[in-house]
Amino acid sequence: MHSEKKNETVSLHVTDLGRHGEGIGKTADGYTLFVPGTVPGDEVEALILKAGKTFGYGKLRQIRKASPDRVVPVCPCADSCGGCQLQFMKYEAQLAWKQKKVRDDLIRIGGIQEPPLEPISGMQKKLRYRNKAQFPVGTGKDGKPVAGFYAGHSHRIVPCSDCQLGAKENATVIRVILEWMQEFHIPAYDEQTGNGLVRHVLIRKGTATGEILVCLVINSTAPEKDNRNPGYSQKRRKKKKAEGLRTEWKNELIRRLTEADSFFEEGSFLTGLTINYNPENTNVILGKRTECIWGKPYLLDRLTSEKYGFSVTYQISSQSFYQVNHEQTQKIYEKVLDLAELTGTETVLDLYCGIGTISLYLARRAAHVIGVEIVPQAIEDARKNAELNDIQHAEFFTGRAEKVVPELVRQKNIHADVVVVDPPRKGCDPELLQTILQISPEKIIYVSCDPATLSRDIKYLTENGYRLAYAKPYDQFGMTVHVETVCLLTRIK
Ligand SMILES: C[S@@+](CC[C@H](N)C(=O)[O-])C[C@H]1O[C@@H](n2cnc3c(N)ncnc32)[C@H](O)[C@@H]1O
């Protein structure tokens, strides 16, 4: 029985990190406390915020002896912003923790006693690696518009326009947009009331091309129909959502952002400005409709495989998924190609294919590639990308992979030598895994951004005729708790 109570300050020796990057320590009498912002090896004092029977949650009060793995975070917002859970840790220690996380999950959840795990691949460029930023916009205490990031586990905006993981140009774009909003009294969206106009700013940069696409997400159903003010009066607020942006506001934003180009890094330039309409009271950032008000509705980027001696150019729209770390993505896709060992005669399925990124790598070495993806805009991009790269033997289908693939098996009797899956964090749908077993490819290559769901799916596949032959973690998301893993499963003959 432990005597620790809420609001008590206790001394703690931190020995591990939890799934969300919070330090885990024990008090002198063995009580376990989770304390964000602490690092294994730290001796700290923590305030108990929540005390359960066997463990509790605390807040860091004071570091009595710093861990040798502790470093001073580069970002001034690291304490308050929820994005970089590991910026307090030496990069090598972050990598070691991620390697252990993947290994532990493969053993504990995947039931693989001796995982064939290669050492994690670390990033050369540890900051400014993200090619995409999503800034929520709100109203500060002084009534002025602010943009930044959400504090951990909340929707409180921590003002920050220059995230150290993102492109340098983000700060300029955000400054211009906030000044524009302030000058023209354009209200930020308020999640509580559902009023206001500007919800988010999305900025994407093509690392290889320097192209920058800005997308302003607004709380409105349709492009502007007239010149009335967006719902300022309480009366009108109750009746309807804020209306769209006035034409003169759009024109002014275009003028300011195109002129801001001159502050961008050499070689970087604005390629398009889009408005996304999201009138829903929801956490989902993007609405269904996007309008391009200047330039192109997409940006171009290029990925290169030095080993295989080719580059692939991709068109990426605001609503399409694209891996955020250019350097690591190139390594991961090259590894997929290595593991596939294609000879030019094979049929390959690329499931959860996004804009056809992996599909078009595989198409360089396969006879036929079939991609399946749920987002229609991404499939439009994928088809365009096949054209752009002069690839005729890749075809793409829109829909849920777990519905489309069984249909393709039923109607077209498709077969595949290699199946690649790259699902979102929740992993593969069970129906899809069953269909893959039915297709019975020689190889399944699993690209995953969540070791827990990856391990769950590996358990199912290894219990049903496959063997985990290879696994390698990649650090795609330095300073955060996230880790990417590439696995090869081979059919047991
Ligand atoms: C992690 S991304 C991978 C995309 C692509 N392979 C890449 O590397 O860029 C996962 C993709 O799965 C798509 N997706 C999510 N659920 C899906 C489903 N049930 N069926 C098909 N695609 C889905 C998402 O829209 C997203 O494009």
Side-chain angles (χ1 to χ4, degrees), residues 7-23:
N7 291 333
E8 195 183 329
T9 297
V10 290
S11 297
L12 212 63
H13 175 60
V14 182
T15 53
D16 203 355
L17 285 183
R19 292 202 87 77
H20 305 293
E22 69 282 45

Side-chain angles (χ1 to χ4, degrees), residues 95-308:
L95 289 182
W97 179 73
K98 291 183 185 190
Q99 176 86 9
K100 180 174 175 300
K101 184 177 174 184
V102 174
R103 187 181 153 77
D104 287 353
D105 282 354
L106 284 173
I107 295 172
R108 196 175 50 83
I109 305 171
I112 310 287
Q113 286 186 355
E114 282 296 328
L117 192 64
E118 295 286 310
I120 187 166
S121 159
M123 312 174 346
Q124 292 287 317
K125 195 175 173 193
K126 300 183 181 59
L127 296 169
R128 306 253 176 239
Y129 65 81
R130 280 188 67 94
N131 58 23
K132 177 184 170 188
Q134 303 184 144
F135 294 89
V137 181
T139 306
K141 286 196 184 111
D142 57 2
K144 291 181 182 169
V146 290
F149 296 96
Y150 291 129
H153 310 292
S154 88
H155 269 210
R156 183 172 57 81
I157 298 175
V158 176
C160 171
S161 60
D162 191 20
C163 164
Q164 298 298 302
L165 304 193
K168 274 197 175 151
E169 291 82 1
N170 294 346
T172 304
V173 172
I174 292 298
R175 175 180 56 73
V176 169
I177 290 175
L178 293 182
E179 282 172 5
W180 166 79
M181 286 176 67
Q182 202 182 332
E183 228 168 279
F184 292 91
H185 306 287
I186 299 166
Y189 178 65
D190 179 340
E191 276 188 349
Q192 302 298 322
T193 63
N195 294 321
L197 204 54
V198 180
R199 299 175 74 127
H200 270 85
V201 179
L202 270 56
I203 309 170
R204 260 192 172 147
K205 179 175 177 180
T207 307
T209 58
E211 295 195 9
I212 291 176
L213 180 68
V214 176
C215 175
L216 197 69
V217 184
I218 66 166
N219 174 35
S220 165
T221 42
E224 177 201 42
K225 288 193 183 70
D226 59 29
N227 263 355
R228 284 173 299 173
N229 260 342
Y232 288 128
S233 84
Q234 283 299 337
K235 239 180 172 179
R236 285 182 58 200
R237 268 186 197 160
K238 277 183 196 143
K239 274 196 200 149
K240 49 164 39 180
K241 299 264 179 199
E243 289 155 20
L245 291 173
R246 295 181 189 187
T247 304
E248 70 259 31
W249 292 349
K250 287 185 189 171
N251 289 340
E252 185 59 20
L253 182 62
I254 292 168
R255 187 186 69 73
R256 291 178 181 216
L257 277 177
T258 45
E259 283 178 6
D261 255 13
S262 53
F263 296 102
F264 290 178
E265 283 194 325
E266 211 187 318
S268 301
F269 58 96
L270 188 74
T271 195
L273 173 58
T274 62
I275 306 288
N276 176 270
Y277 296 92
N278 185 359
E280 305 299 329
N281 233 329
T282 156
N283 282 346
V284 178
I285 295 178
L286 286 169
K288 289 199 172 76
R289 283 198 53 201
T290 304
E291 177 196 18
C292 179
I293 62 166
W294 182 84
K296 296 183 301 185
Y298 57 83
L299 79 159
L300 294 177
D301 200 17
R302 195 169 53 248
L303 294 171
T304 300
S305 166
E306 304 232 323
K307 178 172 175 184
Y308 290 94

Side-chain angles (χ1 to χ4, degrees), residues 321-323 333 350-355 357-358 372-375 378 399-402 422-424 426 449:
F321 177 91
Y322 184 58
Q323 302 285 357
Y333 290 178
D350 180 18
L351 309 179
Y352 307 91
C353 71
I355 60 168
T357 36
I358 299 179
V372 181
E373 158 67 39
I374 198 169
V375 175
R400 294 179 181 280
E402 59 274 23
D422 182 4
K426 67 178 180 187
C449 54

